[in-house]
Amino acid sequence: MRLNDLSSHPSQWFGSGPSAEIVISSRVRLARNLAGFKFLSTCSNEDKLAISDLLREALLSIDVPQERSYYSVDTAAALDRDFMVERHLISRHLAHGSGPRGVVIAGQEAFTAMINEEDHLRLQVIKGGLQVQQCWHDISMIDDMLEEKVEYAFSPKYGYLTACPTNVGTGIRVSVMLHLPALKMTGQIEKFFNATRDMDLAVRGLFGEGTEAIGDFYQISNQVTLGLSEIAIVNDFTDTIVPKIVEYELAARNQLLAKEANVLNDKIYRALGILKSAYMISSQEALGLLSHLRMGVNMKRLEGVSIPKINELFLLTQPAHLQLNEGRALDATTRDELRAKILRQHLN
Amino acid sequence: MQCQACKQSAATIHLTEITEGQRSETHLCEACAQKQGISMQTQIPINELLSSLLAAQPQMPAETAPALPSTSCPGCGSTFEQFKKQSLLGCPEDYSVFEKQLEPVIKKSHAGHDTHCGKVPAKAPDEAKKSTELIRLKQELELAVKVEDYELAARIRDRIKQLQ
């Protein structure tokens, strides 16, 4: 698999699955470290190399049907690294880290394993829509297979030991990406923030820690990883947290339809107007407007544009995708021009 | 209290500003606060939270403090001071070397929990598996009693007895 082969289309998992109108994706991440090695902040480069070799070998040799590829992130071009961040294959932390590090990508991008990120190993399974339980099932199986090949740092009291104590115990981070334009438009998004805080959840933007919410996309994830079982955390998302937020968003959409249909129409059709006619557009503006379009199609206010098309545009208009598909690095102005051109071509 | 802006909804956001020694208060509903661009910082990044927790930790009394103020881990040479600065531990050993200092930090980060009750590696000693399972079962028992599912509670109780 070459990165260029991926850049012309969205990831397989993107845009389908249960409750996909509101739930973009479900992701489960496990943090693991190898016994017998220091954590990365005090590790020598030789140790990092040894860890990377050990884990790469283990990941490529476990008995799963999916085709797997390893990418060395420390030797990758800056553009390739940004591209992998845009596709949620690696984190910004791994992209901008130092020393020997890499990623194994498998299952048409549904499974990734980051080596030498904040912990020695960060496993991730991502699926479209609300599929947290399926993600947990897959990742736990992979984790079991790896455990036969390597020895994890584990203590009976604190569980899986991680570099930062905020991840210790299960090392699990469940994240669900939500599209909540109606809660935002009806001014109820603060309520959502308050509710998530009461439930010990973190809210982040599209690209994880330290990123702002763009285009009404919010990522919620658990903060407590110790003292609860993985199943309890996963079930909480599936049975309580996500259905409740989906219900709030649907209620807000109905409220808009009943009371402010023209405000809604105006937002959607202005977005379409700009996307169809602009000659220069930033990725941030494009994301915001595509978000309104997505809401318009899902609320049946807009015909002639499909959700798969909007999903495709979400990715194709990202800076690294634009440049990789063009085959060269582009400055910001040229990117804005090219982005507008692609949007005009696809939407007219 | 009514919102000062729309004079309709109940005010849930209360701002106190002190300018040149003059104190002024504003009471708004969520919608009006949002309109005026006032957004509450509801989400504290984990690292920031951790640093503030660490900074707020009381100095340990002399008798319980480690013999040397800057005890370092024999495994990686890290000190607790270093952890306070970067929020990252140096090696797995640090969890036992700095257990006393870490315990309050861990409890605060994990809603009061301080013991693992999830998955255990297949290779781990049976004793570890058993103790983790017991903790989990006790949690499940509490929950079953809370929702008044006594049949389930009885089954969990029997399993606990069996393990003990």
Side-chain angles (χ1 to χ4, degrees):
Chain A
M1 185 174 68
R2 291 175 336 155
L3 291 181
N4 287 66
D5 298 338
L6 301 176
S7 60
S8 58
H9 57 84
S11 325
Q12 284 276 323
W13 55 263
F14 191 59
S16 56
S19 305
E21 275 182 31
I22 292 168
V23 187
I24 307 284
S25 65
S26 301
R27 186 169 68 102
V28 173
R29 182 269 274 159
L30 293 180
R32 298 288 186 254
N33 288 277
L34 296 180
F37 287 95
K38 293 176 195 169
F39 290 144
L40 293 164
S41 62
T42 58
C43 235
S44 65
N45 254 9
E46 291 81 65
D47 275 351
K48 285 187 188 172
L49 204 58
I51 293 164
S52 164
D53 287 347
L54 251 167
L55 286 172
R56 185 182 60 218
E57 170 63 27
L59 285 158
L60 296 179
S61 66
I62 51 170
D63 189 19
V64 287
Q66 292 97 338
E67 190 190 321
R68 277 150 283 171
S69 312
Y70 174 79
Y71 296 93
S72 159
V73 173
D74 45 313
T75 56
L79 193 53
D80 287 347
R81 292 202 290 248
D82 291 345
F83 171 78
M84 289 192 270
V85 173
E86 283 176 8
R87 286 182 93 83
H88 296 276
L89 294 169
I90 64 172
S91 63
R92 286 186 175 174
H93 190 100
L94 190 78
H96 302 131
S98 66
R101 61 198 194 281
V103 61
V104 171
I105 302 172
Q108 289 168 317
E109 304 175 71
F111 169 69
T112 57
M114 291 190 281
I115 300 173
N116 291 345
E117 203 239 25
E118 184 180 289
D119 294 296
H120 297 158
L121 180 63
R122 290 269 174 107
L123 301 169
Q124 170 182 295
V125 169
I126 190 163
K127 289 180 188 288
L130 180 55
Q131 298 199 66
V132 180
Q133 277 166 333
Q134 290 83 344
C135 289
W136 163 244
H137 171 267
D138 290 8
I139 205 167
S140 182
M141 198 178 67
I142 295 165
D143 184 47
D144 289 345
M145 286 194 251
L146 282 171
E147 215 186 81
E148 288 172 16
K149 299 189 178 282
V150 296
E151 194 168 337
Y152 290 146
F154 180 87
S155 109
K157 163 116 172 117
Y158 292 119
Y160 292 93
L161 301 176
T162 50
C164 183
T166 51
N167 297 315
V168 80
T170 54
I172 197 173
R173 187 81 69 221
V174 174
S175 304
V176 176
M177 183 79 72
L178 300 155
H179 186 217
L180 307 174
L183 282 179
K184 181 75 180 292
M185 273 182 77
T186 53
Q188 298 178 80
I189 204 76
E190 289 288 344
K191 266 188 209 158
F192 157 73
F193 286 147
N194 291 340
T196 53
R197 188 188 44 192
D198 292 344
M199 290 186 281
D200 283 324
L201 300 170
V203 185
R204 304 194 173 98
L206 209 44
F207 296 105
E209 206 158 329
T211 62
E212 276 177 46
I214 321 168
D216 308 326
F217 292 102
Y218 300 88
Q219 187 172 271
I220 52 164
S221 45
N222 65 301
Q223 303 213 71
V224 174
T225 57
L226 180 72
L228 298 170
S229 70
E230 293 87 348
I231 304 279
I233 295 169
V234 163
N235 287 348
D236 208 17
F237 271 84
T238 313
D239 302 338
T240 318
I241 299 168
V242 180
K244 198 158 266 176
I245 299 170
V246 167
E247 193 188 306
Y248 287 153
E249 170 66 18
L250 286 176
R253 288 184 185 190
N254 287 334
Q255 185 190 329
L256 280 174
L257 278 177
K259 291 187 183 158
E260 293 180 284
N262 274 338
V263 175
L264 185 70
N265 289 341
D266 187 64
K267 259 219 155 97
I268 297 163
Y269 282 90
R270 267 173 194 276
L272 184 65
I274 295 171
L275 290 167
K276 272 179 151 179
S277 2
Y279 271 76
M280 285 185 76
I281 192 163
S282 70
S283 63
Q284 193 141 345
E285 187 182 2
L287 259 176
L289 297 172
L290 284 168
S291 157
H292 289 152
L293 229 52
R294 192 178 190 278
M295 170 176 71
V297 176
N298 279 333
M299 291 177 74
K300 302 193 171 38
R301 314 300 292 176
L302 180 65
E303 283 174 0
V305 189
S306 70
I307 290 290
K309 171 64 74 190
I310 296 171
N311 291 342
E312 188 186 345
L313 291 173
F314 270 124
L315 271 175
L316 294 185
T317 55
Q318 292 285 309
H321 274 73
L322 270 182
Q323 297 175 79
L324 219 57
N325 284 333
E326 192 68 7
R328 65 195 170 98
L330 306 167
D331 62 41
T333 311
T334 318
R335 288 204 300 270
D336 290 354
E337 288 167 358
L338 183 62
R339 183 176 296 115
K341 188 174 153 195
I342 290 173
L343 287 164
R344 288 199 310 274
Q345 281 169 349
H346 279 266
L347 293 171
N348 281 305
Chain B
M1 186 181 292
Q2 220 178 36
C3 169
Q4 291 174 345
C6 65
K7 302 206 165 33
Q8 283 170 359
S9 314
T12 53
I13 292 162
H14 311 279
L15 282 175
T16 307
E17 281 182 294
I18 299 172
T19 324
E20 290 168 8
Q22 287 294 323
R23 183 189 163 100
S24 69
E25 286 187 4
T26 318
H27 307 281
L28 299 167
C29 68
E30 276 187 26
C32 292
Q34 209 166 42
K35 267 185 216 151
Q36 297 189 11
I38 299 160
S39 168
M40 288 173 291
Q41 194 182 2
T42 51
Q43 214 50 59
I44 307 165
I46 287 185
N47 284 345
E48 214 174 283
L49 182 73
L50 196 62
S51 324
S52 61
L53 288 176
L54 289 168
Q57 239 192 310
Q59 289 294 313
M60 281 205 282
E63 61 273 23
T64 58
L68 286 168
S70 58
T71 306
S72 57
C73 167
C76 64
S78 299
T79 62
F80 193 69
E81 296 303 311
Q82 281 169 327
F83 166 70
K84 281 167 93 168
K85 270 193 204 128
Q86 50 175 338
S87 308
L88 291 172
L89 293 164
C91 77
E93 283 300 300
D94 288 2
Y95 279 97
S96 41
V97 176
F98 306 119
E99 187 165 12
K100 274 213 170 75
Q101 295 105 306
L102 276 174
E103 203 185 77
V105 180
I106 288 177
K107 277 192 176 173
K108 280 246 168 131
S109 309
H110 298 285
H113 298 290
D114 63 357
T115 312
H116 179 57
C117 77
K119 199 170 166 174
V120 177
K123 285 180 195 164
D126 287 345
E127 210 37 49
K129 282 181 211 157
K130 206 171 96 175
S131 76
T132 310
E133 166 123 32
L134 272 174
I135 296 163
R136 208 193 61 237
L137 286 170
K138 279 178 190 162
Q139 273 187 8
E140 282 175 14
L141 179 64
E142 258 177 54
L143 195 71
V145 172
K146 207 166 133 189
V147 299
E148 298 181 5
D149 187 343
Y150 298 113
E151 209 174 303
L152 177 67
R155 277 206 304 275
I156 299 171
R157 186 201 56 208
D158 293 346
R159 177 92 184 102
I160 291 174
K161 272 189 188 157
Q162 217 178 6
L163 275 175
Q164 281 170 336

PDB file of all heavy atoms in Angstrom, chain B residues 33-62:
ATOM      1  N   ALA B  33     -25.248  34.708  26.566  1.00  0.00           N
ATOM      2  CA  ALA B  33     -23.800  34.659  26.823  1.00  0.00           C
ATOM      3  C   ALA B  33     -23.069  34.243  25.558  1.00  0.00           C
ATOM      4  O   ALA B  33     -22.037  34.807  25.197  1.00  0.00           O
ATOM      5  CB  ALA B  33     -23.504  33.693  27.954  1.00  0.00           C
ATOM      6  N   GLN B  34     -23.664  33.264  24.878  1.00  0.00           N
ATOM      7  CA  GLN B  34     -23.023  32.781  23.651  1.00  0.00           C
ATOM      8  C   GLN B  34     -23.026  33.888  22.591  1.00  0.00           C
ATOM      9  O   GLN B  34     -22.047  34.100  21.904  1.00  0.00           O
ATOM     10  CB  GLN B  34     -23.754  31.546  23.154  1.00  0.00           C
ATOM     11  CG  GLN B  34     -22.850  30.619  22.393  1.00  0.00           C
ATOM     12  CD  GLN B  34     -23.475  29.252  22.191  1.00  0.00           C
ATOM     13  OE1 GLN B  34     -24.645  29.157  21.890  1.00  0.00           O
ATOM     14  NE2 GLN B  34     -22.695  28.212  22.340  1.00  0.00           N
ATOM     15  N   LYS B  35     -24.161  34.603  22.496  1.00  0.00           N
ATOM     16  CA  LYS B  35     -24.264  35.702  21.529  1.00  0.00           C
ATOM     17  C   LYS B  35     -23.192  36.755  21.777  1.00  0.00           C
ATOM     18  O   LYS B  35     -22.645  37.347  20.868  1.00  0.00           O
ATOM     19  CB  LYS B  35     -25.651  36.355  21.620  1.00  0.00           C
ATOM     20  CG  LYS B  35     -26.648  35.753  20.632  1.00  0.00           C
ATOM     21  CD  LYS B  35     -27.951  36.510  20.675  1.00  0.00           C
ATOM     22  CE  LYS B  35     -29.110  35.538  20.471  1.00  0.00           C
ATOM     23  NZ  LYS B  35     -30.326  35.944  21.117  1.00  0.00           N
ATOM     24  N   GLN B  36     -22.911  37.016  23.056  1.00  0.00           N
ATOM     25  CA  GLN B  36     -21.923  38.045  23.393  1.00  0.00           C
ATOM     26  C   GLN B  36     -20.504  37.495  23.349  1.00  0.00           C
ATOM     27  O   GLN B  36     -19.552  38.172  23.738  1.00  0.00           O
ATOM     28  CB  GLN B  36     -22.229  38.610  24.778  1.00  0.00           C
ATOM     29  CG  GLN B  36     -23.574  39.296  24.820  1.00  0.00           C
ATOM     30  CD  GLN B  36     -23.790  40.049  26.128  1.00  0.00           C
ATOM     31  OE1 GLN B  36     -22.876  40.221  26.920  1.00  0.00           O
ATOM     32  NE2 GLN B  36     -25.010  40.510  26.336  1.00  0.00           N
ATOM     33  N   GLY B  37     -20.405  36.280  22.882  1.00  0.00           N
ATOM     34  CA  GLY B  37     -19.065  35.695  22.720  1.00  0.00           C
ATOM     35  C   GLY B  37     -18.442  35.251  24.033  1.00  0.00           C
ATOM     36  O   GLY B  37     -17.238  35.071  24.127  1.00  0.00           O
ATOM     37  N   ILE B  38     -19.270  35.098  25.056  1.00  0.00           N
ATOM     38  CA  ILE B  38     -18.725  34.630  26.332  1.00  0.00           C
ATOM     39  C   ILE B  38     -18.838  33.120  26.360  1.00  0.00           C
ATOM     40  O   ILE B  38     -19.930  32.564  26.293  1.00  0.00           O
ATOM     41  CB  ILE B  38     -19.490  35.230  27.530  1.00  0.00           C
ATOM     42  CG1 ILE B  38     -19.367  36.748  27.498  1.00  0.00           C
ATOM     43  CG2 ILE B  38     -18.971  34.666  28.847  1.00  0.00           C
ATOM     44  CD1 ILE B  38     -20.416  37.458  28.303  1.00  0.00           C
ATOM     45  N   SER B  39     -17.730  32.468  26.400  1.00  0.00           N
ATOM     46  CA  SER B  39     -17.768  31.015  26.417  1.00  0.00           C
ATOM     47  C   SER B  39     -17.039  30.538  27.650  1.00  0.00           C
ATOM     48  O   SER B  39     -15.943  30.976  27.955  1.00  0.00           O
ATOM     49  CB  SER B  39     -17.105  30.480  25.153  1.00  0.00           C
ATOM     50  OG  SER B  39     -16.900  29.113  25.280  1.00  0.00           O
ATOM     51  N   MET B  40     -17.688  29.655  28.369  1.00  0.00           N
ATOM     52  CA  MET B  40     -17.038  29.139  29.570  1.00  0.00           C
ATOM     53  C   MET B  40     -15.982  28.134  29.173  1.00  0.00           C
ATOM     54  O   MET B  40     -16.186  27.351  28.257  1.00  0.00           O
ATOM     55  CB  MET B  40     -18.070  28.439  30.440  1.00  0.00           C
ATOM     56  CG  MET B  40     -18.995  29.394  31.097  1.00  0.00           C
ATOM     57  SD  MET B  40     -20.274  28.479  31.926  1.00  0.00           S
ATOM     58  CE  MET B  40     -21.156  27.824  30.563  1.00  0.00           C
ATOM     59  N   GLN B  41     -14.886  28.160  29.860  1.00  0.00           N
ATOM     60  CA  GLN B  41     -13.881  27.131  29.593  1.00  0.00           C
ATOM     61  C   GLN B  41     -14.294  25.884  30.349  1.00  0.00           C
ATOM     62  O   GLN B  41     -14.079  25.743  31.537  1.00  0.00           O
ATOM     63  CB  GLN B  41     -12.500  27.587  30.025  1.00  0.00           C
ATOM     64  CG  GLN B  41     -11.453  26.661  29.435  1.00  0.00           C
ATOM     65  CD  GLN B  41     -10.073  27.032  29.867  1.00  0.00           C
ATOM     66  OE1 GLN B  41      -9.883  27.949  30.625  1.00  0.00           O
ATOM     67  NE2 GLN B  41      -9.095  26.280  29.382  1.00  0.00           N
ATOM     68  N   THR B  42     -14.971  25.004  29.608  1.00  0.00           N
ATOM     69  CA  THR B  42     -15.521  23.837  30.289  1.00  0.00           C
ATOM     70  C   THR B  42     -14.565  22.665  30.224  1.00  0.00           C
ATOM     71  O   THR B  42     -14.687  21.719  30.947  1.00  0.00           O
ATOM     72  CB  THR B  42     -16.838  23.426  29.636  1.00  0.00           C
ATOM     73  OG1 THR B  42     -16.609  23.311  28.237  1.00  0.00           O
ATOM     74  CG2 THR B  42     -17.932  24.410  29.896  1.00  0.00           C
ATOM     75  N   GLN B  43     -13.632  22.741  29.329  1.00  0.00           N
ATOM     76  CA  GLN B  43     -12.768  21.588  29.157  1.00  0.00           C
ATOM     77  C   GLN B  43     -11.329  21.958  29.455  1.00  0.00           C
ATOM     78  O   GLN B  43     -10.746  22.803  28.800  1.00  0.00           O
ATOM     79  CB  GLN B  43     -12.896  21.115  27.698  1.00  0.00           C
ATOM     80  CG  GLN B  43     -12.780  19.637  27.554  1.00  0.00           C
ATOM     81  CD  GLN B  43     -13.696  18.901  28.515  1.00  0.00           C
ATOM     82  OE1 GLN B  43     -14.889  19.079  28.485  1.00  0.00           O
ATOM     83  NE2 GLN B  43     -13.124  18.085  29.364  1.00  0.00           N
ATOM     84  N   ILE B  44     -10.775  21.347  30.449  1.00  0.00           N
ATOM     85  CA  ILE B  44      -9.390  21.628  30.782  1.00  0.00           C
ATOM     86  C   ILE B  44      -8.546  20.518  30.177  1.00  0.00           C
ATOM     87  O   ILE B  44      -8.800  19.350  30.442  1.00  0.00           O
ATOM     88  CB  ILE B  44      -9.198  21.675  32.308  1.00  0.00           C
ATOM     89  CG1 ILE B  44     -10.197  22.648  32.925  1.00  0.00           C
ATOM     90  CG2 ILE B  44      -7.773  22.062  32.675  1.00  0.00           C
ATOM     91  CD1 ILE B  44     -10.352  22.509  34.418  1.00  0.00           C
ATOM     92  N   PRO B  45      -7.573  20.851  29.324  1.00  0.00           N
ATOM     93  CA  PRO B  45      -6.750  19.792  28.763  1.00  0.00           C
ATOM     94  C   PRO B  45      -6.102  18.952  29.864  1.00  0.00           C
ATOM     95  O   PRO B  45      -5.755  19.479  30.925  1.00  0.00           O
ATOM     96  CB  PRO B  45      -5.685  20.542  27.974  1.00  0.00           C
ATOM     97  CG  PRO B  45      -6.209  21.912  27.788  1.00  0.00           C
ATOM     98  CD  PRO B  45      -7.156  22.173  28.905  1.00  0.00           C
ATOM     99  N   ILE B  46      -5.962  17.659  29.598  1.00  0.00           N
ATOM    100  CA  ILE B  46      -5.470  16.727  30.613  1.00  0.00           C
ATOM    101  C   ILE B  46      -4.136  17.174  31.208  1.00  0.00           C
ATOM    102  O   ILE B  46      -3.963  17.182  32.424  1.00  0.00           O
ATOM    103  CB  ILE B  46      -5.350  15.311  30.020  1.00  0.00           C
ATOM    104  CG1 ILE B  46      -6.750  14.737  29.855  1.00  0.00           C
ATOM    105  CG2 ILE B  46      -4.535  14.396  30.929  1.00  0.00           C
ATOM    106  CD1 ILE B  46      -6.807  13.319  29.401  1.00  0.00           C
ATOM    107  N   ASN B  47      -3.220  17.610  30.343  1.00  0.00           N
ATOM    108  CA  ASN B  47      -1.908  17.996  30.844  1.00  0.00           C
ATOM    109  C   ASN B  47      -1.986  19.177  31.805  1.00  0.00           C
ATOM    110  O   ASN B  47      -1.309  19.207  32.823  1.00  0.00           O
ATOM    111  CB  ASN B  47      -0.970  18.342  29.692  1.00  0.00           C
ATOM    112  CG  ASN B  47      -0.492  17.079  29.025  1.00  0.00           C
ATOM    113  OD1 ASN B  47      -0.629  15.981  29.580  1.00  0.00           O
ATOM    114  ND2 ASN B  47       0.041  17.217  27.835  1.00  0.00           N
ATOM    115  N   GLU B  48      -2.874  20.137  31.415  1.00  0.00           N
ATOM    116  CA  GLU B  48      -3.045  21.321  32.248  1.00  0.00           C
ATOM    117  C   GLU B  48      -3.620  20.912  33.611  1.00  0.00           C
ATOM    118  O   GLU B  48      -3.181  21.384  34.654  1.00  0.00           O
ATOM    119  CB  GLU B  48      -4.021  22.251  31.555  1.00  0.00           C
ATOM    120  CG  GLU B  48      -3.733  23.720  31.758  1.00  0.00           C
ATOM    121  CD  GLU B  48      -4.677  24.535  30.908  1.00  0.00           C
ATOM    122  OE1 GLU B  48      -4.464  24.620  29.687  1.00  0.00           O
ATOM    123  OE2 GLU B  48      -5.653  25.034  31.486  1.00  0.00           O
ATOM    124  N   LEU B  49      -4.589  20.011  33.560  1.00  0.00           N
ATOM    125  CA  LEU B  49      -5.231  19.536  34.773  1.00  0.00           C
ATOM    126  C   LEU B  49      -4.203  18.874  35.683  1.00  0.00           C
ATOM    127  O   LEU B  49      -4.137  19.133  36.884  1.00  0.00           O
ATOM    128  CB  LEU B  49      -6.321  18.521  34.396  1.00  0.00           C
ATOM    129  CG  LEU B  49      -7.137  17.933  35.541  1.00  0.00           C
ATOM    130  CD1 LEU B  49      -8.105  18.969  36.072  1.00  0.00           C
ATOM    131  CD2 LEU B  49      -7.919  16.719  35.068  1.00  0.00           C
ATOM    132  N   LEU B  50      -3.377  18.044  35.060  1.00  0.00           N
ATOM    133  CA  LEU B  50      -2.370  17.316  35.810  1.00  0.00           C
ATOM    134  C   LEU B  50      -1.377  18.279  36.457  1.00  0.00           C
ATOM    135  O   LEU B  50      -1.066  18.157  37.643  1.00  0.00           O
ATOM    136  CB  LEU B  50      -1.648  16.348  34.868  1.00  0.00           C
ATOM    137  CG  LEU B  50      -0.838  15.259  35.525  1.00  0.00           C
ATOM    138  CD1 LEU B  50      -1.743  14.370  36.354  1.00  0.00           C
ATOM    139  CD2 LEU B  50      -0.134  14.415  34.473  1.00  0.00           C
ATOM    140  N   SER B  51      -0.928  19.278  35.677  1.00  0.00           N
ATOM    141  CA  SER B  51       0.032  20.244  36.237  1.00  0.00           C
ATOM    142  C   SER B  51      -0.581  20.986  37.405  1.00  0.00           C
ATOM    143  O   SER B  51       0.084  21.233  38.411  1.00  0.00           O
ATOM    144  CB  SER B  51       0.482  21.280  35.207  1.00  0.00           C
ATOM    145  OG  SER B  51       0.587  20.706  33.964  1.00  0.00           O
ATOM    146  N   SER B  52      -1.896  21.353  37.257  1.00  0.00           N
ATOM    147  CA  SER B  52      -2.492  22.111  38.347  1.00  0.00           C
ATOM    148  C   SER B  52      -2.668  21.235  39.580  1.00  0.00           C
ATOM    149  O   SER B  52      -2.554  21.698  40.705  1.00  0.00           O
ATOM    150  CB  SER B  52      -3.817  22.751  37.924  1.00  0.00           C
ATOM    151  OG  SER B  52      -4.728  21.759  37.558  1.00  0.00           O
ATOM    152  N   LEU B  53      -2.948  19.951  39.355  1.00  0.00           N
ATOM    153  CA  LEU B  53      -3.067  19.030  40.487  1.00  0.00           C
ATOM    154  C   LEU B  53      -1.732  18.907  41.210  1.00  0.00           C
ATOM    155  O   LEU B  53      -1.645  18.921  42.429  1.00  0.00           O
ATOM    156  CB  LEU B  53      -3.469  17.627  40.012  1.00  0.00           C
ATOM    157  CG  LEU B  53      -4.897  17.439  39.536  1.00  0.00           C
ATOM    158  CD1 LEU B  53      -5.083  16.022  39.021  1.00  0.00           C
ATOM    159  CD2 LEU B  53      -5.841  17.688  40.693  1.00  0.00           C
ATOM    160  N   LEU B  54      -0.690  18.786  40.401  1.00  0.00           N
ATOM    161  CA  LEU B  54       0.640  18.615  40.976  1.00  0.00           C
ATOM    162  C   LEU B  54       1.054  19.849  41.754  1.00  0.00           C
ATOM    163  O   LEU B  54       1.620  19.756  42.838  1.00  0.00           O
ATOM    164  CB  LEU B  54       1.660  18.329  39.865  1.00  0.00           C
ATOM    165  CG  LEU B  54       1.521  16.954  39.229  1.00  0.00           C
ATOM    166  CD1 LEU B  54       2.360  16.871  37.971  1.00  0.00           C
ATOM    167  CD2 LEU B  54       1.940  15.868  40.204  1.00  0.00           C
ATOM    168  N   ALA B  55       0.719  21.015  41.189  1.00  0.00           N
ATOM    169  CA  ALA B  55       1.112  22.260  41.843  1.00  0.00           C
ATOM    170  C   ALA B  55       0.368  22.413  43.170  1.00  0.00           C
ATOM    171  O   ALA B  55       0.888  22.960  44.129  1.00  0.00           O
ATOM    172  CB  ALA B  55       0.806  23.438  40.926  1.00  0.00           C
ATOM    173  N   ALA B  56      -0.891  21.872  43.190  1.00  0.00           N
ATOM    174  CA  ALA B  56      -1.712  22.040  44.380  1.00  0.00           C
ATOM    175  C   ALA B  56      -1.407  21.015  45.474  1.00  0.00           C
ATOM    176  O   ALA B  56      -1.929  21.094  46.561  1.00  0.00           O
ATOM    177  CB  ALA B  56      -3.186  21.942  44.004  1.00  0.00           C
ATOM    178  N   GLN B  57      -0.569  20.062  45.146  1.00  0.00           N
ATOM    179  CA  GLN B  57      -0.271  19.020  46.132  1.00  0.00           C
ATOM    180  C   GLN B  57       0.436  19.590  47.354  1.00  0.00           C
ATOM    181  O   GLN B  57       1.416  20.315  47.217  1.00  0.00           O
ATOM    182  CB  GLN B  57       0.664  18.003  45.484  1.00  0.00           C
ATOM    183  CG  GLN B  57       0.074  16.621  45.463  1.00  0.00           C
ATOM    184  CD  GLN B  57       1.119  15.622  45.082  1.00  0.00           C
ATOM    185  OE1 GLN B  57       1.811  15.790  44.096  1.00  0.00           O
ATOM    186  NE2 GLN B  57       1.250  14.600  45.878  1.00  0.00           N
ATOM    187  N   PRO B  58      -0.059  19.276  48.542  1.00  0.00           N
ATOM    188  CA  PRO B  58       0.607  19.833  49.724  1.00  0.00           C
ATOM    189  C   PRO B  58       1.998  19.230  49.921  1.00  0.00           C
ATOM    190  O   PRO B  58       2.242  18.093  49.523  1.00  0.00           O
ATOM    191  CB  PRO B  58      -0.320  19.425  50.864  1.00  0.00           C
ATOM    192  CG  PRO B  58      -1.091  18.243  50.349  1.00  0.00           C
ATOM    193  CD  PRO B  58      -1.178  18.399  48.867  1.00  0.00           C
ATOM    194  N   GLN B  59       2.855  20.011  50.493  1.00  0.00           N
ATOM    195  CA  GLN B  59       4.177  19.491  50.831  1.00  0.00           C
ATOM    196  C   GLN B  59       4.003  18.392  51.868  1.00  0.00           C
ATOM    197  O   GLN B  59       3.203  18.510  52.781  1.00  0.00           O
ATOM    198  CB  GLN B  59       5.039  20.614  51.437  1.00  0.00           C
ATOM    199  CG  GLN B  59       5.465  21.657  50.420  1.00  0.00           C
ATOM    200  CD  GLN B  59       6.397  21.098  49.381  1.00  0.00           C
ATOM    201  OE1 GLN B  59       7.346  20.410  49.721  1.00  0.00           O
ATOM    202  NE2 GLN B  59       6.137  21.368  48.109  1.00  0.00           N
ATOM    203  N   MET B  60       4.738  17.321  51.719  1.00  0.00           N
ATOM    204  CA  MET B  60       4.558  16.217  52.650  1.00  0.00           C
ATOM    205  C   MET B  60       5.215  16.543  53.986  1.00  0.00           C
ATOM    206  O   MET B  60       6.289  17.136  54.020  1.00  0.00           O
ATOM    207  CB  MET B  60       5.195  14.964  52.078  1.00  0.00           C
ATOM    208  CG  MET B  60       4.288  14.335  51.042  1.00  0.00           C
ATOM    209  SD  MET B  60       4.630  12.634  50.926  1.00  0.00           S
ATOM    210  CE  MET B  60       6.064  12.700  49.964  1.00  0.00           C
ATOM    211  N   PRO B  61       4.568  16.144  55.108  1.00  0.00           N
ATOM    212  CA  PRO B  61       5.204  16.371  56.395  1.00  0.00           C
ATOM    213  C   PRO B  61       6.549  15.636  56.471  1.00  0.00           C
ATOM    214  O   PRO B  61       6.730  14.612  55.804  1.00  0.00           O
ATOM    215  CB  PRO B  61       4.213  15.793  57.402  1.00  0.00           C
ATOM    216  CG  PRO B  61       3.118  15.156  56.631  1.00  0.00           C
ATOM    217  CD  PRO B  61       3.276  15.467  55.197  1.00  0.00           C
ATOM    218  N   ALA B  62       7.452  16.184  57.307  1.00  0.00           N
ATOM    219  CA  ALA B  62       8.821  15.669  57.339  1.00  0.00           C
ATOM    220  C   ALA B  62       8.911  14.171  57.575  1.00  0.00           C
ATOM    221  O   ALA B  62       9.677  13.477  56.910  1.00  0.00           O
ATOM    222  CB  ALA B  62       9.627  16.409  58.399  1.00  0.00           C
TER     223      ALA B  62
END
